[in-house]
Amino acid sequence: MKSFYLTTAIDYVNGSPHLGHAYEKILTDVIARFRRLRGDKVYFLTGTDEHGQKVQMSARQQGVEPQLFADRVSAEFRALLEKLLISNDDFIRTTEERHKKVVRSILQDLFDRGEIYLGQYRGWYSTRQEQFLQEKDRLPDGSWPEIFGEVTEIVEPNYFFKLAAHQAWLVDFLTQNENFIFPKYRQKQVLEFLKEPLNDLCISRPRERLEWGIPLPFDERYVTYVWFDALVNYYSAVADKTPSIWPANWHVIGKDILVPPHAVYWPIILRSAKLPLPGGILVHGWWMTAGAKMSKSTGNALNPLDLVTEFGADAFRYFLIREMNVGQDSDFTREQFLVRYNGDLANDLGNLVNRTLNMTTRFGAGVVPAPEVADEPELELQALWAKTAAEFIPLCEGFQFHTALERLFTFVKSINAYIEKRAPWKLGKSAEPADAARLRTALATMAESLRLATAALEPVMPGATEKINGVLGHARTGTWAERLVWGQSLTGSRVSPALVLFPRPQPAAPQG
Ligand code: MSP
């Protein structure tokens, strides 16, 4: 079976990780876990982008060698992955030999075949963005937008990669593969960009200006442009794997790096290198705060590690996936986080778990009974589950995780409503045999429906769901699809008396 190959962008190591980085890893991890549960053999890659001017400058500012600097920050990114329960199979650093070797061999091959040539470059360069700018990037008053930082004019001999020669092919390709970029409207944006003629891409930087990069194999006086270097990571990480893992099924990236790097440079690099194209590019939006993109440099970055430490990785993952409609932007506020934490997690799910454990302990001697009756309350809940489960998988397949979770939590709420309706605490007081049967049924029904909701939640909350399964005495067997079917697999299970999953609900008002 060909691996289902998923990648995230590789993060710049010039600053510490922030919420944007955390979100992208979590989104990709949810997809990876979902696909594994669906039976795919997943290969999930993430990593760090370590060359270029910004890293060189940040290292200098701290008075350390770029490699040492990159080692430190890359380790921070790795530690974050662990903390967020990310199930990546590989972590690539662009300073690794396995990567540099592949970049050099692709460059040499393109040079030998005339796809790269020596020319003269004159242009405006933004250090902050690591890119040459065009006249159209200027503001109406002739100045450069703030996001580019310091802009300097440069004239120098440089190597160029023939982008323009592949423009017509790329337009054709995108027109014929209209689902290449998700969401679809982003694909239109790329085609719009391609209405203007492309310039060839300057892929070299003279070493006197930039030391910190991969030397061009055919001219050691230059290092490789950082985007050419970085994009190749997706291939270099798996280049020598057999059976072949390349091409990627999805590259998961943020909207700021779609055009031109991922939607223009990367397909053309692959085509020139005679390598197959990825299945698609999944483009997520930005986490914003007070109308601005959250980032390290804008100084508004929330340290994701703080929230994870405070509330746990599962709650953090749930919030990000529940809140963000993949592709669009979303505002991050602590208040909104607390609304979800207190409501969906502590009240709805956390309470359900505790009621189930508590009532099974009190009325069933800690063992899940077999259901005996199927009256309207049971049938209603089962019907809602059938509908929820039928929608859940297609929604996840279409990256509509926020809606999938919304529906799932409607089901969770309905389990709580079912418990209210059946009121086991009342049935427990009755001496009627029919009530005893209803009580056993209620205990069985709440345990089974909790088990089902937990199974569906696995990709999003891997830690919490494992704990819930543990206290339910549920040994997971069978495929995920089988586990999502209403049954009686918990009958006879011994449950634990209690589990505090989402402790200390917080006041909704801002702290401080
Ligand atoms: N190094 C390049 C990517 C090279 S991929 C071959 C880069 N790095 S980055 O550290 O700036 O960004 C990494 C990813 O985080 C990008 O996909 C970017 O869109 C994402 N995010 C950074 N800030 C973000 C938000 N505020 N919100 C959501 N994601 C954003 O670009």
Side-chain angles (χ1 to χ4, degrees):
M1 187 204 298
K2 155 91 175 70
S3 291
F4 189 94
Y5 182 25
L6 270 172
T7 68
T8 68
I10 51 172
D11 302 318
Y12 287 132
V13 293
N14 58 312
S16 297
H18 59 72
L19 179 64
H21 300 127
Y23 170 68
E24 186 169 300
K25 308 300 175 299
I26 290 171
L27 171 64
T28 314
D29 188 61
V30 170
I31 302 170
R33 289 178 186 271
F34 170 74
R35 301 302 314 202
R36 284 193 202 104
L37 288 167
R38 298 282 288 150
D40 285 317
K41 193 172 112 196
V42 170
Y43 197 83
F44 172 9
L45 174 75
T46 183
T48 41
D49 185 355
E50 305 189 3
H51 291 126
Q53 193 118 359
K54 280 192 256 186
V55 177
Q56 182 173 294
M57 273 166 46
S58 303
R60 275 204 192 127
Q61 275 161 15
Q62 297 204 0
V64 293
E65 285 303 308
Q67 185 65 62
L68 185 66
F69 179 80
D71 288 350
R72 281 186 199 156
V73 185
S74 181
E76 269 187 63
F77 276 94
R78 241 181 224 262
L80 176 66
L81 296 176
E82 213 164 294
K83 207 155 180 173
L84 296 175
L85 308 176
I86 304 300
S87 63
N88 56 305
D89 298 283
D90 196 356
F91 185 94
I92 188 149
R93 303 181 54 189
T94 54
T95 50
E96 282 175 71
E97 196 46 45
R98 62 168 169 160
H99 172 72
K100 295 194 272 193
K101 188 179 83 189
V102 174
V103 171
R104 281 194 294 262
S105 103
I106 289 180
L107 284 167
Q108 186 67 53
D109 175 50
L110 296 184
F111 183 69
D112 293 344
R113 290 192 290 105
E115 296 277 354
I116 290 174
Y117 63 92
L118 186 63
Q120 194 65 246
Y121 195 90
R122 165 188 281 274
W124 297 95
Y125 189 77
S126 152
T127 308
R128 182 180 298 167
Q129 300 293 332
E130 308 249 23
Q131 75 185 52
F132 281 99
L133 306 178
Q134 293 173 1
E135 285 304 320
K136 66 172 174 18
D137 293 323
R138 286 185 194 270
L139 294 172
D141 70 358
S143 66
W144 300 103
E146 174 63 33
I147 52 157
F148 296 124
E150 191 191 347
V151 176
T152 41
E153 193 181 24
I154 288 172
V155 185
E156 63 194 15
N158 260 312
Y159 287 91
F160 289 82
F161 171 53
K162 288 185 179 169
L163 271 193
H166 300 273
Q167 178 162 7
W169 162 79
L170 183 58
V171 170
D172 262 12
F173 172 81
L174 292 172
T175 312
Q176 279 162 32
N177 295 274
E178 54 171 26
N179 294 319
F180 186 66
I181 297 167
F182 178 94
K184 250 188 195 167
Y185 63 84
R186 295 250 173 239
Q187 180 124 334
K188 295 205 184 85
Q189 221 170 301
V190 179
L191 286 167
E192 202 54 39
F193 176 84
L194 289 168
K195 281 189 178 150
E196 297 287 318
L198 284 176
N199 294 320
D200 286 345
L201 178 68
C202 180
I203 52 106
S204 61
R205 298 291 180 265
R207 265 175 121 157
E208 66 264 20
R209 192 149 56 74
L210 179 64
E211 270 288 325
W212 187 234
I214 304 176
L216 292 182
F218 43 83
D219 191 340
E220 299 261 325
R221 294 170 305 164
Y222 293 89
V223 299
T224 311
Y225 170 46
V226 72
W227 268 108
F228 193 103
D229 168 350
L231 287 163
V232 171
N233 91 86
Y234 302 133
Y235 175 69
S236 66
V238 296
D240 52 11
K241 296 261 195 287
T242 38
S244 176
I245 287 181
W246 187 258
N249 294 65
W250 287 101
H251 293 310
V252 180
I253 59 164
K255 65 179 185 178
D256 49 321
I257 57 172
L258 176 65
V259 187
H262 283 84
V264 179
Y265 302 162
W266 185 226
I268 295 181
I269 292 171
L270 287 168
R271 181 176 194 239
S272 303
K274 301 188 190 313
L275 288 166
L277 261 53
I281 304 175
L282 171 57
V283 187
H284 63 76
W286 285 344
W287 282 97
M288 315 279 286
T289 176
K293 177 186 179 225
M294 298 186 92
S295 76
K296 200 71 195 165
S297 52
T298 48
N300 58 11
L302 220 149
N303 187 350
L305 296 180
D306 291 347
L307 278 170
V308 180
T309 310
E310 206 174 338
F311 299 99
D314 289 290
F316 185 68
R317 292 168 61 109
Y318 173 77
F319 172 74
L320 297 185
I321 298 301
R322 171 66 184 84
E323 210 64 18
M324 181 76 106
N325 179 342
V326 177
Q328 297 178 10
D329 294 344
S330 228
D331 253 320
F332 186 97
T333 62
R334 189 182 162 94
E335 294 81 80
Q336 185 56 15
F337 175 86
L338 289 174
V339 168
R340 292 269 173 230
Y341 182 85
N342 291 335
D344 300 5
L345 298 181
N347 269 343
D348 296 342
L349 182 61
N351 252 341
L352 171 62
V353 172
N354 270 320
R355 293 170 108 183
T356 305
L357 299 180
N358 179 286
M359 290 185 214
T360 310
T361 305
R362 263 172 69 200
F363 304 117
V367 175
V368 178
E372 291 170 41
V373 293
D375 290 339
E376 197 224 309
E378 286 77 30
L379 294 176
E380 223 175 61
L381 194 62
Q382 286 177 23
L384 180 63
W385 173 252
K387 185 167 167 280
T388 308
E391 288 169 348
F392 193 79
I393 290 185
L395 282 169
C396 292
E397 254 159 11
F399 308 123
Q400 301 300 298
F401 298 110
H402 67 298
T403 311
L405 287 180
E406 186 190 359
R407 307 270 163 90
L408 188 61
F409 272 74
T410 300
F411 177 69
V412 169
K413 280 192 176 66
S414 303
I415 309 174
N416 281 316
Y418 166 84
I419 298 174
E420 296 299 325
K421 205 180 284 174
R422 274 302 192 199
W425 49 93
K426 283 189 195 148
L427 294 172
K429 287 187 190 138
S430 162
E432 291 290 318
D435 281 340
R438 285 191 198 108
L439 175 60
R440 287 190 290 272
T441 301
L443 297 178
T445 302
M446 64 177 94
E448 178 61 6
S449 47
L450 171 59
R451 182 193 70 76
L452 290 163
T454 304
L457 264 178
E458 265 175 48
V460 181
M461 301 214 276
T465 52
E466 201 180 315
K467 284 188 199 149
I468 299 174
N469 282 323
V471 292
L472 286 178
H474 176 49
R476 290 173 297 174
T477 51
T479 64
W480 195 46
E482 286 161 359
R483 289 197 284 122
L484 290 174
V485 177
W486 192 296
Q488 296 188 21
S489 59
L490 284 180
T491 305
S493 278
R494 175 159 291 282
V495 308
S496 309
L499 171 70
V500 183
L501 265 184
F502 304 105
R504 19 170 207 104
Q506 303 285 315
Q511 302 261 309

